[in-house]
Amino acid sequence: MKILLVMPDAQMHKIRLGPLVRSMREMPLSICTLASLTPMYPDIDLRLVDGSVENVPLDYDADLVGISIITGCANRAYAIADHFRKRKIPVVLGGVHVTLLPGEAMQHADSIVIGRAEQTWPQLIEDFRAGSLKDIYLEHELTGDMLYSVPPPRRDLHKRSRYMIPDSVQATRGCKKACDFCTVPAVWPKFLKRPVEDVIQDVQLTKGKYIAFNDVSIAEDIDYAKELFRAMIPLGKRWGGLATINIMKDPELLSLMKASGCVYLLFGFESNDRPTLTSMGKGFNLSMAYDEIMHVMRGLRISVQGCFVFGFDHDTREVFANTVERVNELGIDIPRFSLYTPYPGSLLFKRLLKENRILSFNWDDYDTMHVVIQPSQMTPEELYQGFKWAYREAFKIRHIRKRMKGLTCNSIINFFGNLTYKIFVRRLFNEQKYALPYSTHDPGGAPDDTFYRDRFLEN
Ligand code: B12
Ligand code: SF4
């Protein structure tokens, strides 16, 4: 029985050198986790394809196709699903977007999986073999906050050389915060932790020196994180991941983090404006000045990737230059910018829908690089141009050099990281056909979105 597991092309975070495509990020764990959950029948033949780094084999003779979907890739996923279903090959859809909008996904699938698949995927495979595939599989809620029995992912089934960091590991799922633009509270409403022994076993199976934790907030539970970092020290790995500013409150946590091999952290700084941070549910960012955070991180020799978002209601046209100036002043090692995007299921989506300010329901635009909202204090065009300007400006060599001044750690990694982003962003902007929704760009070409508007407003 041939099972094909696919992730559609995310069309970002990669560089192309002739025919060779390389992701600048970590290996995703979505389909290699499904692979490890697949019952081990001798006749099962698994093929994994990450469309971001290789072509999806549309002529593959599969018995079953599984597709993993995040919002920005939903249209491409549905096109692949429709293609295989036309070939009479059954398709199962799962992942973040399916969990957020199951009704939409069902129109393109023989079966959908809502939520995590640890309980449901093994059962689905048994049902499929028995010829009794169900329409919907839904995980039942776990009691407690521990996530047992997640087997180590089958990383060996992905093309290792295609990823900047091929060894990714996940210790926790979810986050206890509720930032208004974020998908996480809707997709994983409960914060769950894998037993530290399981995570350590997983880390021990990784081949390289560097690993990426793809947890959305690795130290969300401080006691758990300390236990994990203590257990990692003897392994001698180097690692990076995402964290919130809350980690800064605990010096013991910070030194364990460093001792366990942390070399970079990504923080969602989002904005330099206090009322903006409070209104988006990120008031916790106000607990320490960004200068202080950078000072501590420099002291620990941990590189900082700092994310800022443009398009908040308080943002005026000055925000772009002010942010770039601040990013340089702070010496953020690798800055990242995004546009304020109302992912379905998020608090922002509900608010902007009511205010009639969502300009596009075309999921292709939901990659945080397209303007999909009507900003409060500028036009969509001004928001897009300002965003583009900020990215280009921040990655000018003189600014990169300024940010790296006095840096004694990870300088080569940081320099190449910045250069890679510079190339990636330049290509992305050159390739983007339009970065504004149809409705503002080409009034005649606006798709009919009454369906979405009515349906979402009802809920
Ligand atoms: C690796 C990663 C990427 C990779 C790969 C993305 C991909 N196709 O999944 C890359 C680098 C391309 C990427 C890009 C982006 N990403 Co990203 N990314 C991640 C990250 C850090 C890890 C994914 C992962 O490995 N998860 C671990 C696995 C085990 O969990 P899982 O995917 O949910 O899978 C489980 C279930 O969902 C289910 N399942 C999943 N797929 C399937 C399929 C089938 C058939 C079945 C049955 C079940 C099933 O089973 C799994 C086991 O339980 C997640 C955060 C996270 N921790 O999940 C964000 C995340 C997926 N990304 C997110 C975002 C916002 C982005 C970007 C916009 C960021 C940016 N500005 O650059 C872009 C979007 C690109 C685009 N065009 O849309 C959001 C998704 C929001 C949304 N509604 O879609 C997340 C959730 C982060 C967050 N904080 O909100 N990302
Ligand atoms: S943006 Fe980060 S801190 Fe906020 S809810 Fe999402 S994962 Fe949690």
Side-chain angles (χ1 to χ4, degrees):
M1 180 179 135
K2 288 183 178 171
I3 304 178
L4 174 66
L5 297 175
V6 177
M7 308 190 69
D9 183 1
Q11 297 188 341
M12 51 192 304
H13 299 287
K14 56 181 177 178
I15 40 176
R16 201 179 288 273
L17 295 167
L20 247 189
V21 188
R22 194 150 195 258
S23 159
M24 292 156 48
R25 293 265 309 260
E26 71 275 22
M27 181 188 285
L29 293 177
S30 320
I31 53 175
C32 57
T33 299
L34 286 186
S36 67
L37 292 166
T38 308
M40 303 275 276
Y41 289 106
D43 66 320
I44 288 190
D45 173 23
L46 284 166
R47 178 162 176 195
L48 270 59
V49 174
D50 177 354
S52 289
V53 295
E54 59 195 305
N55 293 330
V56 177
L58 294 171
D59 55 354
Y60 191 64
D61 251 334
D63 297 294
L64 181 69
V65 174
I67 308 176
S68 178
I69 317 187
I70 61 172
T71 302
C73 301
N75 291 341
R76 290 186 287 284
Y78 296 150
I80 298 169
D82 296 346
H83 167 86
F84 280 108
R85 292 180 84 210
K86 244 185 228 151
R87 290 185 53 206
K88 307 273 178 254
I89 299 172
V91 171
V92 182
L93 299 179
V96 170
H97 188 73
V98 176
T99 302
L100 293 169
L101 296 178
E104 177 187 284
M106 275 175 79
Q107 296 167 38
H108 303 272
D110 296 282
S111 175
I112 59 164
V113 171
I114 302 175
R116 295 177 308 104
E118 276 74 9
Q119 301 153 0
T120 47
W121 180 251
Q123 185 58 49
L124 184 148
I125 296 296
E126 298 295 353
D127 290 352
F128 180 71
R129 290 174 74 88
S132 56
L133 188 66
K134 297 186 185 66
D135 295 346
I136 302 177
Y137 289 81
L138 179 69
E139 61 165 349
H140 60 77
E141 199 172 308
L142 296 178
T143 45
D145 61 355
M146 294 309 289
L147 190 55
Y148 297 103
S149 335
V150 180
R154 291 286 310 272
R155 297 183 194 86
D156 56 304
L157 296 177
H158 272 303
K159 292 195 163 55
R160 188 176 170 82
S161 62
R162 299 288 171 93
Y163 299 93
M164 182 98 97
I165 309 180
D167 292 315
S168 28
V169 175
Q170 192 171 33
T172 63
R173 301 247 171 111
C175 171
K176 296 178 185 170
K177 318 277 186 325
C179 305
D180 72 352
F181 57 84
C182 186
T183 282
V184 170
V187 184
W188 301 287
K190 195 166 177 182
F191 178 73
L192 297 169
K193 308 169 273 192
R194 291 176 69 198
V196 166
E197 320 75 88
D198 289 11
V199 182
I200 294 298
Q201 189 202 7
D202 205 348
V203 173
Q204 281 168 328
L205 288 171
T206 59
K207 289 186 180 160
K209 175 95 178 155
Y210 287 87
I211 61 170
F213 277 105
N214 67 7
D215 304 54
V216 293
S217 177
I218 179 71
E220 194 60 23
D221 178 326
I222 301 240
D223 292 336
Y224 172 83
K226 284 182 184 172
E227 195 191 331
L228 174 64
F229 299 154
R230 263 189 214 106
M232 280 186 62
I233 296 171
L235 307 183
K237 295 277 184 184
R238 297 277 173 271
W239 66 270
L242 283 70
T244 66
I245 282 163
N246 285 358
I247 62 164
M248 306 304 297
K249 289 183 212 150
D250 195 319
E252 188 194 9
L253 175 75
L254 291 176
S255 59
L256 283 170
M257 214 167 205
K258 179 65 195 170
S260 65
C262 180
V263 287
Y264 77 84
L265 284 176
L266 183 146
F267 290 105
F269 289 123
E270 325 300 10
S271 171
N272 290 304
D273 181 56
R274 297 177 75 88
T276 296
L277 287 169
T278 315
S279 68
M280 80 172 90
K282 210 140 194 168
F284 57 87
N285 268 14
L286 297 169
S287 61
M288 192 185 250
Y290 292 171
D291 307 74
E292 177 84 27
I293 295 167
M294 291 307 298
H295 179 72
V296 174
M297 287 293 127
R298 281 274 157 120
L300 289 168
R301 302 184 167 207
I302 294 177
S303 299
V304 172
Q305 295 191 17
C307 299
F308 287 84
V309 176
F310 295 121
F312 294 116
D313 287 1
H314 290 92
D315 285 352
T316 61
R317 280 178 295 174
E318 277 71 56
V319 72
F320 310 106
N322 291 346
T323 305
V324 174
E325 199 183 334
R326 190 78 183 111
V327 156
N328 292 340
E329 212 174 74
L330 288 166
I332 289 177
D333 301 296
I334 303 185
R336 306 246 310 252
F337 302 125
S338 352
L339 289 162
Y340 202 30
T341 303
Y343 280 99
S346 68
L347 296 167
L348 183 66
F349 187 87
K350 288 173 196 144
R351 174 167 76 85
L352 294 187
L353 192 70
K354 278 203 187 106
E355 295 172 9
N356 204 16
R357 286 173 56 198
I358 301 186
L359 300 176
S360 170
F361 292 92
N362 177 357
W363 305 137
D364 287 353
D365 297 340
Y366 281 64
D367 59 359
T368 74
M369 308 297 273
H370 288 72
V371 176
V372 295
I373 63 163
Q374 178 63 50
S376 281
Q377 314 215 34
M378 54 189 125
T379 63
E381 181 72 40
E382 283 168 336
L383 175 56
Y384 180 62
Q385 293 305 338
F387 165 68
K388 214 158 97 165
W389 175 87
Y391 242 134
R392 287 187 165 145
E393 186 67 19
F395 284 97
K396 283 188 172 158
I397 296 291
R398 68 190 148 96
H399 293 316
I400 297 176
R401 280 179 45 203
K402 183 176 174 196
R403 290 196 297 270
M404 287 183 61
K405 211 169 165 199
L407 189 71
T408 48
C409 61
N410 306 328
S411 355
I412 296 178
I413 297 178
N414 278 343
F415 187 68
F416 282 105
N418 271 288
L419 272 191
T420 319
Y421 256 95
K422 186 178 169 67
I423 297 169
F424 155 69
V425 169
R426 194 173 49 202
R427 289 209 181 146
L428 185 84
F429 289 138
N430 288 345
E431 282 167 16
Q432 260 179 352
K433 285 192 278 304
Y434 61 89
L436 293 167
Y438 290 109
S439 39
T440 47
H441 191 69
D442 169 14
D448 179 13
D449 60 18
T450 343
F451 167 71
Y452 284 106
R453 238 173 249 290
D454 294 350
R455 198 158 56 103
F456 289 128
L457 274 173
E458 269 169 29
N459 301 328

PDB file of all heavy atoms in Angstrom, residues 175 177-179 181-182 184-185 216 244 282 284, ligand 2:
ATOM      1  N   CYS A 175       0.675  27.487  23.505  1.00  0.00           N
ATOM      2  CA  CYS A 175       1.240  28.660  24.172  1.00  0.00           C
ATOM      3  C   CYS A 175       0.169  29.152  25.140  1.00  0.00           C
ATOM      4  O   CYS A 175      -1.021  28.974  24.880  1.00  0.00           O
ATOM      5  CB  CYS A 175       1.528  29.700  23.090  1.00  0.00           C
ATOM      6  SG  CYS A 175       1.984  31.312  23.737  1.00  0.00           S
ATOM      7  N   LYS A 177      -0.291  32.283  25.999  1.00  0.00           N
ATOM      8  CA  LYS A 177      -0.669  33.668  25.731  1.00  0.00           C
ATOM      9  C   LYS A 177      -1.764  33.697  24.648  1.00  0.00           C
ATOM     10  O   LYS A 177      -2.124  32.663  24.098  1.00  0.00           O
ATOM     11  CB  LYS A 177       0.542  34.466  25.217  1.00  0.00           C
ATOM     12  CG  LYS A 177       1.840  34.184  25.938  1.00  0.00           C
ATOM     13  CD  LYS A 177       1.925  34.991  27.193  1.00  0.00           C
ATOM     14  CE  LYS A 177       3.253  34.892  27.909  1.00  0.00           C
ATOM     15  NZ  LYS A 177       3.967  33.627  27.889  1.00  0.00           N
ATOM     16  N   ALA A 178      -2.238  34.918  24.371  1.00  0.00           N
ATOM     17  CA  ALA A 178      -3.286  35.030  23.343  1.00  0.00           C
ATOM     18  C   ALA A 178      -3.111  36.328  22.555  1.00  0.00           C
ATOM     19  O   ALA A 178      -3.940  37.228  22.644  1.00  0.00           O
ATOM     20  CB  ALA A 178      -4.655  34.978  23.995  1.00  0.00           C
ATOM     21  N   CYS A 179      -2.039  36.423  21.788  1.00  0.00           N
ATOM     22  CA  CYS A 179      -1.824  37.618  20.961  1.00  0.00           C
ATOM     23  C   CYS A 179      -2.901  37.636  19.865  1.00  0.00           C
ATOM     24  O   CYS A 179      -3.232  36.581  19.310  1.00  0.00           O
ATOM     25  CB  CYS A 179      -0.435  37.582  20.352  1.00  0.00           C
ATOM     26  SG  CYS A 179       0.826  37.385  21.625  1.00  0.00           S
ATOM     27  N   PHE A 181      -3.249  38.375  16.769  1.00  0.00           N
ATOM     28  CA  PHE A 181      -3.086  37.945  15.375  1.00  0.00           C
ATOM     29  C   PHE A 181      -2.720  36.468  15.264  1.00  0.00           C
ATOM     30  O   PHE A 181      -2.596  35.941  14.165  1.00  0.00           O
ATOM     31  CB  PHE A 181      -1.987  38.780  14.690  1.00  0.00           C
ATOM     32  CG  PHE A 181      -0.657  38.705  15.402  1.00  0.00           C
ATOM     33  CD1 PHE A 181       0.217  37.669  15.157  1.00  0.00           C
ATOM     34  CD2 PHE A 181      -0.303  39.671  16.337  1.00  0.00           C
ATOM     35  CE1 PHE A 181       1.436  37.596  15.815  1.00  0.00           C
ATOM     36  CE2 PHE A 181       0.904  39.607  17.002  1.00  0.00           C
ATOM     37  CZ  PHE A 181       1.782  38.558  16.753  1.00  0.00           C
ATOM     38  N   CYS A 182      -2.548  35.804  16.392  1.00  0.00           N
ATOM     39  CA  CYS A 182      -1.936  34.474  16.350  1.00  0.00           C
ATOM     40  C   CYS A 182      -2.953  33.340  16.238  1.00  0.00           C
ATOM     41  O   CYS A 182      -4.004  33.343  16.860  1.00  0.00           O
ATOM     42  CB  CYS A 182      -1.077  34.289  17.596  1.00  0.00           C
ATOM     43  SG  CYS A 182      -0.140  32.767  17.570  1.00  0.00           S
ATOM     44  N   VAL A 184      -2.201  30.246  17.115  1.00  0.00           N
ATOM     45  CA  VAL A 184      -1.917  29.185  18.097  1.00  0.00           C
ATOM     46  C   VAL A 184      -3.031  28.971  19.138  1.00  0.00           C
ATOM     47  O   VAL A 184      -3.439  27.837  19.366  1.00  0.00           O
ATOM     48  CB  VAL A 184      -0.530  29.427  18.753  1.00  0.00           C
ATOM     49  CG1 VAL A 184      -0.282  28.516  19.932  1.00  0.00           C
ATOM     50  CG2 VAL A 184       0.556  29.247  17.696  1.00  0.00           C
ATOM     51  N   PRO A 185      -3.580  30.031  19.755  1.00  0.00           N
ATOM     52  CA  PRO A 185      -4.609  29.776  20.767  1.00  0.00           C
ATOM     53  C   PRO A 185      -5.826  29.027  20.191  1.00  0.00           C
ATOM     54  O   PRO A 185      -6.467  28.260  20.909  1.00  0.00           O
ATOM     55  CB  PRO A 185      -5.017  31.179  21.237  1.00  0.00           C
ATOM     56  CG  PRO A 185      -3.890  32.073  20.852  1.00  0.00           C
ATOM     57  CD  PRO A 185      -3.278  31.468  19.638  1.00  0.00           C
ATOM     58  N   VAL A 216       6.434  26.890  19.609  1.00  0.00           N
ATOM     59  CA  VAL A 216       6.133  28.314  19.402  1.00  0.00           C
ATOM     60  C   VAL A 216       6.643  29.159  20.557  1.00  0.00           C
ATOM     61  O   VAL A 216       6.813  30.372  20.432  1.00  0.00           O
ATOM     62  CB  VAL A 216       4.625  28.570  19.149  1.00  0.00           C
ATOM     63  CG1 VAL A 216       4.200  27.977  17.824  1.00  0.00           C
ATOM     64  CG2 VAL A 216       3.758  28.044  20.284  1.00  0.00           C
ATOM     65  N   THR A 244       9.461  33.855  24.443  1.00  0.00           N
ATOM     66  CA  THR A 244       8.878  35.169  24.735  1.00  0.00           C
ATOM     67  C   THR A 244       9.799  35.877  25.726  1.00  0.00           C
ATOM     68  O   THR A 244      10.659  35.260  26.359  1.00  0.00           O
ATOM     69  CB  THR A 244       7.466  35.068  25.356  1.00  0.00           C
ATOM     70  OG1 THR A 244       7.569  34.460  26.630  1.00  0.00           O
ATOM     71  CG2 THR A 244       6.511  34.299  24.473  1.00  0.00           C
ATOM     72  N   LYS A 282      -0.121  41.723  23.825  1.00  0.00           N
ATOM     73  CA  LYS A 282       1.283  41.411  24.057  1.00  0.00           C
ATOM     74  C   LYS A 282       1.876  42.363  25.089  1.00  0.00           C
ATOM     75  O   LYS A 282       3.055  42.735  25.014  1.00  0.00           O
ATOM     76  CB  LYS A 282       2.045  41.510  22.733  1.00  0.00           C
ATOM     77  CG  LYS A 282       3.206  40.573  22.702  1.00  0.00           C
ATOM     78  CD  LYS A 282       3.426  39.904  21.405  1.00  0.00           C
ATOM     79  CE  LYS A 282       4.375  38.748  21.572  1.00  0.00           C
ATOM     80  NZ  LYS A 282       4.453  37.877  20.447  1.00  0.00           N
ATOM     81  N   PHE A 284       2.783  41.759  27.864  1.00  0.00           N
ATOM     82  CA  PHE A 284       3.906  41.144  28.605  1.00  0.00           C
ATOM     83  C   PHE A 284       5.259  41.561  28.031  1.00  0.00           C
ATOM     84  O   PHE A 284       6.279  41.460  28.689  1.00  0.00           O
ATOM     85  CB  PHE A 284       3.760  39.615  28.673  1.00  0.00           C
ATOM     86  CG  PHE A 284       3.647  38.922  27.344  1.00  0.00           C
ATOM     87  CD1 PHE A 284       4.782  38.537  26.657  1.00  0.00           C
ATOM     88  CD2 PHE A 284       2.405  38.633  26.778  1.00  0.00           C
ATOM     89  CE1 PHE A 284       4.691  37.889  25.430  1.00  0.00           C
ATOM     90  CE2 PHE A 284       2.290  37.982  25.556  1.00  0.00           C
ATOM     91  CZ  PHE A 284       3.440  37.616  24.879  1.00  0.00           C
TER      92      PHE A 284
HETATM   93  S1  SF4 B   2       2.382  35.171  19.061  1.00  0.00           S
HETATM   94 FE1  SF4 B   2       3.718  33.834  20.283  1.00  0.00          FE
HETATM   95  S2  SF4 B   2       3.325  34.480  22.399  1.00  0.00           S
HETATM   96 FE2  SF4 B   2       1.607  35.246  21.191  1.00  0.00          FE
HETATM   97  S3  SF4 B   2       0.025  33.645  21.319  1.00  0.00           S
HETATM   98 FE3  SF4 B   2       1.210  33.269  19.469  1.00  0.00          FE
HETATM   99  S4  SF4 B   2       2.782  31.798  20.068  1.00  0.00           S
HETATM  100 FE4  SF4 B   2       1.970  32.726  21.968  1.00  0.00          FE
END
